[in-house]
Amino acid sequence: MGTKKNERLILIDADVLSHFISGGQITLLHKIFPYPIKILDKVYAEISRMPCRKTEVDNLLNFKLIEQIPFPEDQPEIKKEYLHIKKLMFKGDGEAACLAVVRYSRDILASSNLKDIASYCELHQITYLTTMDFLCQAVKNGQLTESDCEDFIQRVLKAGSRLPVKKWGEYNCTELKL
């Protein structure tokens, strides 16, 4: 999946995109980590069922800030893993597709559904980033202030999404190993 032999990419799930749209920081998303962000067609299909989200993601795609890529239907081990995850782990299309692809590509998964992904990622040594990891890195990079993060969290919660904290000060950023 990676664009160059040694270059990793971030494969993003719908929840992180939704958080950044609700949080009002969608145009910052692609600048936080030094990896290209890709969205699988199966994740895009999920986002497309949410009209206000689809417009925002279409803008990212049109401005080439992220890139849509096809699910690798021609790779039997990934397709088999995808079906296994859907059937036995009861994951949605986009999430199952992302997990199956990163298991074999060794790219980075961006998803905040920790209860759904954490044990799978640990079992298969998959690197993953949550919405909060993106915020922590943006603060570290000087792209967001703590006040911006507080505003982001409040907007996401008000939109009905879940985050692990209700206030920025409650979250402890950890050192990422990418």
Side-chain angles (χ1 to χ4, degrees):
M1 283 279 129
T3 40
K4 293 189 190 87
K5 196 170 171 176
N6 296 326
E7 186 181 313
R8 296 172 87 188
L9 58 86
I10 295 173
L11 200 59
I12 198 161
D13 198 4
D15 60 334
V16 176
L17 284 166
S18 289
H19 289 158
F20 271 82
I21 292 167
S22 300
Q25 295 292 348
I26 193 64
T27 57
L28 178 64
L29 185 64
H30 74 286
K31 299 176 193 168
I32 298 173
F33 288 102
Y35 303 102
I37 295 179
K38 311 281 181 169
I39 179 174
L40 285 171
D41 51 5
K42 291 181 184 299
V43 174
Y44 181 77
E46 278 182 14
I47 289 276
S48 295
R49 292 193 287 272
M50 304 173 246
C52 58
R53 302 272 189 263
K54 182 184 184 305
T55 303
E56 297 271 5
V57 173
D58 284 344
N59 287 339
L60 293 176
L61 293 166
N62 292 336
F63 286 108
K64 310 244 182 288
L65 303 180
I66 67 172
E67 181 189 344
Q68 184 179 171
I69 57 174
F71 180 79
E73 298 284 351
D74 58 339
Q75 295 183 34
E77 73 280 1
I78 294 177
K79 194 165 183 183
K80 183 178 171 193
E81 186 67 8
Y82 162 72
L83 294 171
H84 169 79
I85 293 167
K86 276 192 61 125
K87 186 176 175 189
L88 297 179
M89 298 169 60
F90 308 108
K91 305 296 176 229
D93 255 11
E95 194 170 48
C98 286
L99 286 169
V101 169
V102 295
R103 173 167 181 199
Y104 291 98
S105 69
R106 307 323 265 161
D107 287 314
I108 301 162
L109 174 64
S111 176
S112 281
N113 295 330
L114 285 184
K115 69 176 178 46
D116 290 348
I117 66 148
S119 59
Y120 184 88
C121 288
E122 284 155 27
L123 177 67
H124 298 292
Q125 288 105 42
I126 295 167
T127 304
Y128 62 90
L129 298 167
T130 66
T131 296
M132 298 306 290
D133 292 325
F134 276 88
L135 292 181
C136 289
Q137 189 66 38
V139 169
K140 187 177 173 183
N141 295 349
Q143 296 161 309
L144 290 176
T145 64
E146 293 193 7
S147 171
D148 294 331
C149 292
E150 181 62 34
D151 179 57
F152 178 100
I153 289 168
Q154 297 315 311
R155 291 174 73 161
V156 170
L157 295 174
K158 190 175 176 198
S161 291
R162 278 192 245 131
L163 289 172
V165 294
K166 302 278 184 251
K167 295 190 176 313
W168 175 250
E170 298 171 359
Y171 192 76
N172 293 321
C173 293
T174 55
E175 193 60 40
L176 299 171
K177 292 168 184 60
L178 298 177

